[in-house]
Amino acid sequence: MDMEVGQVLHMNGGVGETSYANNSLVQQKVITMTKPITEDAITKLYCSSYPVAIAIADLGCSSGPNTLFVVSELIKAVDSLRRKMSRKSPEYQVFLNDLPGNDFNTIFRSLSVFQNKLSKQLGPDSGPCFFTGVPGSFYGRLFKKNSLHFVHSSYSLQWLSQVPKGLENNKGNIYMASTSPPDVLKAYHEQFQQDFFLFLKCRSEELVDGGRMVLTVLGRRNDDPSSKEGCYIWELLATALNDMVLEGTIEKEKLNSFNIPQYTPSPVEVKYEVSKEGSFSIDRLEVTEVNWNAYQNETDISDAFKDGGYNVAKCMRAVAEPLIVSHFGEAIVDQVFQRYREIIADRMSKEKTEFVNVIVSLVKD
């Protein structure tokens, strides 16, 4: 599959039923869970040099409520610090980055409401906040040398720059799976190594000395890359697609040439790449879990949301639909996700289903 990932990979745009904006609760929970780590990093950054202007980049910002949620938390943390120390407020420059197919218009349309709300929360003496959209792949340079103080990225770095080469033997699978041959696992791992190394190298040029990065990646605890932790959600999608091959709705060749451009690393792999690249030291490295169904612990939710399979399938659809449409075409999408929903609901009723997150807080040496 020679899919042009930079063109195809984007979350479903707009604010409709299947949009990412309305199906990103898991991501929001993860951002909230990592808040102590993010705040710790921005606190250390501010207190080490008291910059008069702070440049923050959110890489893989997507569109929807989470896009500005992180930024506002960071700015509020700095503002509360500088008040305690009776210092003048810095000015804030915020860069929102994603691939060109991202729905930047939805973000830009929500900015004025967001800025008004933020300035009310911060009060009249807080510095201005400027926003810039930066389309492009973060597996390349995006900013001037030494121009950033803080980089945040959540649930983006598991996406690879391309589908790895050499996956011809991965028949019947759409990702690394328990039945994938060793050369497939190797191809995925090498693509991750190459991409993550490049990401770190580019950011090390763009960050000031002492600049910080907090990265949350969908990952795994286990050393085995084909373990259930990182792969199960895609294995279930492969089951739905394989069923459709048996029925003749999808051609077998079409399925065999479809692979997801993702890699879910372990903390050990993340640590190894950071030390290999050499520009950063690790301040914190943690692993957390979040339930597949982000509504799991909500009490007052409508009946429509009580179907966990429905929620998870919708979350995954917001992420995977553009990839599926570009490969299999528009016609089968509803059917794929209807089946996927049933398979997920069945699994969730029988076992504990969780996403594993690897969170790393880095300082540029």
Side-chain angles (χ1 to χ4, degrees):
M1 175 175 87
D2 210 22
M3 182 171 68
E4 183 48 69
V5 172
Q7 297 304 317
V8 175
L9 181 63
H10 57 86
M11 306 300 115
N12 271 352
V15 288
E17 170 78 7
T18 59
S19 69
Y20 180 81
N22 282 333
N23 293 287
S24 44
L25 245 197
V26 167
Q27 290 85 341
Q28 191 177 332
K29 278 208 160 169
V30 171
I31 289 168
T32 307
M33 283 162 69
T34 57
K35 190 176 160 183
I37 298 173
T38 316
E39 288 195 351
D40 176 53
I42 197 92
T43 300
K44 287 171 175 165
L45 170 91
Y46 182 70
C47 295
S48 66
S49 60
Y50 305 112
V52 292
I54 297 181
I56 298 168
D58 190 11
L59 307 183
C61 64
S62 78
S63 61
N66 299 337
T67 300
L68 300 168
F69 177 52
V70 178
V71 169
S72 64
E73 292 300 315
L74 289 168
I75 292 172
K76 283 190 268 192
V78 172
D79 195 64
S80 130
L81 277 171
R82 66 102 192 162
R83 280 178 196 283
K84 280 184 199 143
M85 300 169 177
S86 308
R87 300 187 79 93
K88 190 171 178 291
S89 171
E91 295 197 341
Y92 302 96
Q93 170 73 60
V94 176
F95 296 105
L96 301 171
N97 155 262
D98 213 318
L99 291 168
N102 183 51
D103 185 1
F104 281 101
N105 283 339
T106 293
I107 304 174
F108 295 152
R109 277 198 287 270
S110 67
L111 272 178
S112 60
V113 171
F114 172 78
Q115 283 177 299
N116 289 338
K117 191 176 153 195
L118 188 64
S119 59
K120 280 198 186 87
Q121 286 174 329
L122 297 179
D125 60 339
S126 68
C129 190
F130 307 105
F131 285 87
T132 308
V134 181
S137 167
F138 50 47
Y139 294 123
R141 284 285 302 276
L142 290 165
F143 307 99
K144 291 187 303 192
K145 259 188 178 336
N146 304 319
S147 63
L148 299 178
H149 295 90
F150 196 92
V151 169
H152 171 268
S153 180
S154 185
Y155 266 38
S156 299
L157 274 162
Q158 69 269 14
W159 292 106
L160 300 169
S161 65
Q162 60 180 51
V163 174
K165 300 272 184 277
L167 302 185
E168 292 75 23
N169 298 331
N170 204 24
K171 294 189 174 30
N173 298 314
I174 61 170
Y175 183 51
M176 296 181 291
S178 45
T179 55
S180 297
D183 63 334
V184 166
L185 304 183
K186 185 168 182 276
Y188 266 106
H189 183 233
E190 283 175 357
Q191 187 65 50
F192 162 74
Q193 287 185 304
Q194 190 182 320
D195 283 349
F196 193 49
F197 184 88
L198 190 56
F199 175 88
L200 293 170
K201 190 171 170 13
C202 292
R203 301 300 81 79
S204 76
E205 295 183 28
E206 295 161 353
L207 277 157
V208 299
D209 289 345
R212 288 181 177 257
M213 265 200 307
V214 177
L215 313 172
T216 302
V217 190
L218 188 59
R220 62 179 203 278
R221 286 184 185 275
N222 202 306
D223 282 340
D224 171 14
S226 65
S227 73
K228 232 170 154 176
E229 283 179 326
C231 306
Y232 197 38
I233 197 106
W234 296 116
E235 278 191 38
L236 299 184
L237 182 56
T239 304
L241 292 166
N242 275 301
D243 287 350
M244 290 171 77
V245 167
L246 292 174
E247 286 168 15
T249 328
I250 291 176
E251 293 166 37
K252 194 173 184 179
E253 286 64 43
K254 211 73 181 136
L255 175 60
N256 285 341
S257 61
F258 180 65
N259 288 286
I260 299 286
Q262 197 181 66
Y263 187 84
T264 42
S266 69
V268 173
E269 288 170 335
V270 168
K271 193 174 177 179
Y272 177 75
E273 290 309 312
V274 171
S275 64
K276 191 171 80 178
E277 194 277 330
S279 308
F280 296 92
S281 30
I282 295 180
D283 189 27
R284 295 170 75 165
L285 178 61
E286 298 184 17
V287 181
T288 60
E289 280 92 19
V290 61
N291 201 286
W292 275 11
N293 182 9
Y295 297 93
Q296 188 80 1
N297 306 321
E298 312 284 330
T299 43
D300 57 341
I301 51 171
S302 70
D303 289 341
F305 285 130
K306 288 191 177 139
D307 174 357
Y310 176 72
N311 293 322
V312 181
K314 269 177 66 174
C315 275
M316 291 301 289
R317 179 171 185 159
V319 169
E321 182 168 353
L323 298 174
I324 287 189
V325 169
S326 88
H327 191 79
F328 297 101
E330 193 87 49
I332 61 147
V333 165
D334 287 338
Q335 203 186 334
V336 170
F337 285 102
Q338 177 55 38
R339 282 163 182 263
Y340 190 34
R341 170 185 169 181
E342 288 159 13
I343 294 166
I344 288 173
D346 175 59
R347 292 293 91 205
M348 285 171 71
S349 67
K350 294 177 177 151
E351 55 195 295
K352 195 175 176 189
T353 48
E354 289 180 321
F355 291 119
V356 175
N357 313 304
V358 176
I359 304 144
V360 64
S361 181
L362 302 168
V363 194
K364 182 182 162 187
D365 295 330

